[in-house]
Each structure stands twice: as C-alpha cells, then as structure tokens.
Amino acid sequence: MKKVLITGANGQIGSELIFELRKRLGADSVVGLDLREPGEEQQKAGPYEVLDATDKAGLEKIMAKYQIDTIFHLVGILSATGEKNPNLAWKVNMTSLLNVLEIARETKAKNQDIHIFWPSSIAAFGPTTPREHTPQETVMVPTTMYGVTKVAGELLCQYYYLKYGVDVRSIRYPGLISWKTAPGGGTTDYAVAIFYEAVQNGKYECYLEPGTVLPMMYMPDAIRGTIELMDAPAENIKTRTSYNFSAVSFSCAELAAEVKKLVPGFECAYNPDSRQKIANSWPKTIDDSVARAEWGWKHEFDTRKMATDMMANLKHKFGRPVAGQKAAASEQQAHPTKRKI
Ligand code: NAD
Ligand code: SER
C-alpha cells in the first residue's frame, strides 16, 4: 500500500478510513474520491477528486494521475435507500465495482498490481439463511436489491481473483456505529441515531421493533480490521468472496437500556416501518471464526465500551457535559441526517 484511492471518501466509513490511512501513509499518499464535494476539513487534508465512480474513463485518469496501487472501493447505495431506488442501487453498486475490477485486470496485464478492498455486508444473507451464528459458507438468497448487489459483487470479486489473479479482498460488515459522519441510508442506522437523539433530545423513536437483534460493530474496530485484512500476507487470504466479520449483537431494547445508563431519563419509543422487513431477513449473530483463524481478526469494543465511547464523543461534539471531562465550549451543528466531516 503506497498510493491509495478511497472511493466513497465522504461517507460514514470513507471519512474515517481516509483519516486513518493519511495518518499512516502521509496525507499526499491517500486520495479521496466521491460524488459529493468534500467538507472543508477533508478538502484541506489531502488530494480529493469529485467523480461519479460509474465513469470508468474518469476513474482511469485519476488512477493514472496519482499512480494508485490500492483502492478501497466504498462507493455504494445502502439497503434502505436501495429499496426506494433499486435501479440506482444496481447501477451504482455493480457498475462501479466492475469498473474497479476491470481497471485492475487491465493494469495487471501490463504487469502492475492494483490491490482492491471492497465491502460486502450482512445484507448478502437472506431469510433462508440460518440467523444464529451464521456460518461463513451458507445459504445466501437475499431479498433486498442491496443484498442482491452484495452477493453478485462477492462472486464478481472471486471471479476476478480466480480468472485474472486480481488481489481483491472483502469483508461482510455488520451495522457500523460511529459519531464522526452520519450513516447513509441503511437499516442499521437506528443504532447511530439513538445516540444523537439521546444527547440532543433525551428521547428516540425507533423504526424497528424492540426485540430486533442485529450484528453491529464500532467504527474503530471496523477501520482497524479493514486495514489488517489488506496488510495480511496473500497466502493467508483463502476466502475471495467475502469474510464474515463480527463484534457484537444486541436488540434495539438492549441498546436503549445501555443508552439509558448513560443518559438518565432517556426514553425510547417504537414505531416500526418498512425497514423492519429488511432487518427480519438478516442474521442476528455471525460466526466469523474463519476471519479470526486466517488473518487474526479480533474485535476490541463490546457493547458497553462502544456505547460509553460513542456517548462521550457525542456529548463533546454537542457541547454537553461529560462526567469527568470538561464540556466543549461551543455548541456544534451536527445531526445524523445532516452529513458532516
Ligand atoms: P455511505 O452512504 O455513508 O457512503 C457512500 C459514499 O459513496 C457517499 O459519500 C456517496 O456520496 C458516495 N457515492 C454514492 N454514489 C456514488 C457514485 N456513483 N460515485 C461516487 N461516489 C458515490 O456508505 P458507508 O456506510 O460509508 O458504506 C460504504 C460501503 O460499505 C458500502 O459499499 C456499503 O454497502 C458498505 N457497508 C456499510 C455498512 C455500514 O453500516 N455503514 C455495513 C455494511 C456494508
Ligand atoms: N448498515 C448497512 C445497511 O443497513 C448494512 O449493510 O444497509
């Protein structure tokens, strides 16, 4: 990893991954790319290109301009947005991935390797998948367009590895919880919104039923795991579809109870909407023993540790008092529905 391109750099994951990789590799060695203009902080922090990742020629130009050897391809339309606009989800998720894989194949034919990271999701599983301790190899018949693109994407990645030797690695992320950048239209977004609403309003109306259990992970674990996968020796990476990747699982009510411990008086109401059906089709817990055995994956944050860290950061962000810590001087503008880097 010497010259890195992160597509979807403005998103929930990209905005944190770019920060971490720039710290490790140097600001000029990590280029951000997104359809959306960068935030002020992002713009100042290093090279950034605004491009639609479905534009293959544009992508090729950027790859050549910066002599990119590694791509973290994070562009994607997530589950809830994808159900509102399935055609867009198919077009963006599949075309952009095919572009990246094709560029790597063409570059390899000229004896240069481009390493690719592409994220799959727990959405690659479906209602007929075993929902408890979902194994690495199992039934994968998703019922969302997002899930369809993740299964197709996994198979495409494996195909490019087997047929052309493209070094493409992948993780099936669970729902990711973070406080820096708002999530972008997924079914698991409630697990972020609940913290924002607790800090700002002391209450939250959840769009999933209280007993809904989903696999989740705190962003620092996800970022570390992603980089560890890409740093692992190629001979350790035996799975070229995508690795099960897990940390914690909890129900909405269990998370609400954790939040209440940190915000006394917090109340959570429940008003399930169309996202309930999506959540019901996904696993509750994931068996990620293959990732742990093959490249040493290990999570650090359990639910309590994640909730405590999340709350402390959000209280600081919004200028609320944090136990044992001086409150931030000024109120900041931020909301999970309003993206901010
Ligand atoms: P996000 O929605 O926060 O970010 C995606 C970014 O891609 C956005 O900044 C958006 O502007 C950009 N984008 C969309 N279409 C584009 C296009 N055509 N060209 C260029 N940029 C475009 O998503 P995220 O949560 O950061 O997810 C990144 C990847 O990780 C996705 O593939 C997603 O499926 C996967 N994933 C995320 C989670 C999660 O909980 N966040 C879980 C599982 C998998
Ligand atoms: N967080 C993602 C979503 O809910 C899972 O892939 O869409």
Side-chain angles (χ1 to χ4, degrees):
M1 238 196 273
K2 290 196 183 96
K3 275 285 207 170
V4 172
L5 178 68
I6 300 179
T7 75
N10 241 356
Q12 188 193 7
I13 305 172
S15 59
E16 299 217 24
L17 183 66
I18 199 165
F19 179 78
E20 186 56 36
L21 286 176
R22 280 181 173 158
K23 234 172 34 185
R24 290 172 188 229
L25 302 174
D28 289 341
S29 300
V30 186
V31 182
L33 180 152
D34 204 289
L35 200 52
R36 295 180 295 144
E37 294 286 340
E40 210 182 308
E41 204 182 306
Q42 171 93 278
Q43 195 151 29
K44 280 192 248 146
Y48 192 99
E49 300 279 346
V50 175
L51 184 84
D52 183 336
T54 63
D55 171 2
K56 182 168 178 250
L59 205 54
E60 275 166 340
K61 262 192 211 148
I62 288 169
M63 302 277 300
K65 177 176 167 188
Y66 295 100
Q67 297 184 307
I68 298 297
D69 60 51
T70 306
I71 310 181
F72 291 80
H73 180 50
L74 302 181
V75 161
I77 303 295
L78 278 78
S79 59
T81 309
E83 284 315 281
K84 286 190 194 129
N85 196 341
N87 283 350
L88 179 73
W90 177 265
K91 182 171 174 256
V92 171
N93 296 1
M94 297 314 301
T95 309
S96 68
L97 175 60
L98 191 59
N99 285 348
V100 167
L101 290 167
E102 271 293 283
I103 292 170
R105 178 186 69 78
E106 288 158 8
T107 313
K108 197 168 177 68
K110 296 178 210 150
N111 283 327
Q112 283 166 30
D113 277 324
I114 290 179
H115 310 278
I116 300 170
F117 173 81
W118 171 80
S120 184
S121 159
I122 51 167
F125 302 115
T128 49
T129 303
R131 293 186 73 200
E132 309 267 0
H133 306 294
T134 302
Q136 174 68 43
E137 301 290 341
T138 186
V139 181
M140 295 177 79
V141 189
T143 47
T144 60
M145 179 53 90
Y146 176 63
V148 169
T149 66
K150 289 303 184 190
V151 173
E154 287 191 15
L155 294 173
L156 207 52
C157 288
Q158 182 183 247
Y159 183 83
Y160 272 72
Y161 170 73
L162 293 174
K163 189 160 174 93
Y164 305 116
V166 171
D167 180 19
V168 48
R169 304 175 184 200
S170 177
I171 276 171
R172 292 173 184 145
Y173 286 133
L176 299 181
I177 300 172
S178 66
W179 57 272
K180 286 185 184 160
T181 303
T187 303
T188 58
D189 294 8
Y190 94 86
V192 175
I194 194 171
F195 286 97
Y196 275 80
E197 294 298 317
V199 171
Q200 293 180 292
N201 302 316
K203 60 183 182 181
Y204 177 60
E205 186 176 279
C206 183
Y207 55 78
L208 298 178
E209 288 164 2
T212 311
V213 176
L214 288 166
M216 300 278 179
M217 185 179 289
Y218 197 35
M219 190 61 87
D221 270 343
I223 298 293
R224 181 176 51 78
T226 300
I227 296 172
E228 282 172 8
L229 172 69
M230 292 305 278
D231 279 345
E235 61 270 23
N236 291 16
I237 308 303
K238 300 192 176 71
T239 300
R240 294 291 181 161
T241 48
S242 189
Y243 281 101
N244 278 7
F245 184 63
S246 172
V248 294
S249 284
F250 46 72
S251 69
C252 305
E254 283 164 347
L255 183 60
E258 283 299 331
V259 170
K260 196 167 180 148
K261 285 179 200 156
L262 299 161
V263 180
F266 170 72
E267 291 297 337
C268 191
Y270 298 90
N271 186 13
D273 68 13
S274 57
R275 287 168 280 190
Q276 184 67 51
K277 192 173 164 207
I278 301 176
N280 288 348
S281 75
W282 290 354
K284 295 180 178 183
T285 54
I286 299 284
D287 173 358
D288 63 355
S289 51
V290 176
R292 289 176 191 258
E294 289 187 3
W295 49 275
W297 163 240
K298 201 165 175 239
H299 71 280
E300 187 192 317
F301 285 85
D302 61 17
T303 306
R304 174 74 52 86
K305 194 172 171 188
M306 172 277 292
T308 307
D309 196 68
M310 184 78 186
M311 197 57 85
N313 279 303
L314 281 179
K315 283 185 176 174
H316 183 74
K317 186 170 179 170
F318 290 106
R320 302 286 198 273
V322 181
Q325 210 179 310
K326 214 173 164 209
S330 63
E331 185 87 1
Q332 291 184 31
Q333 286 285 315
H335 191 271
T337 55
K338 193 174 164 202
R339 288 167 165 271
K340 184 171 162 65
I341 292 174

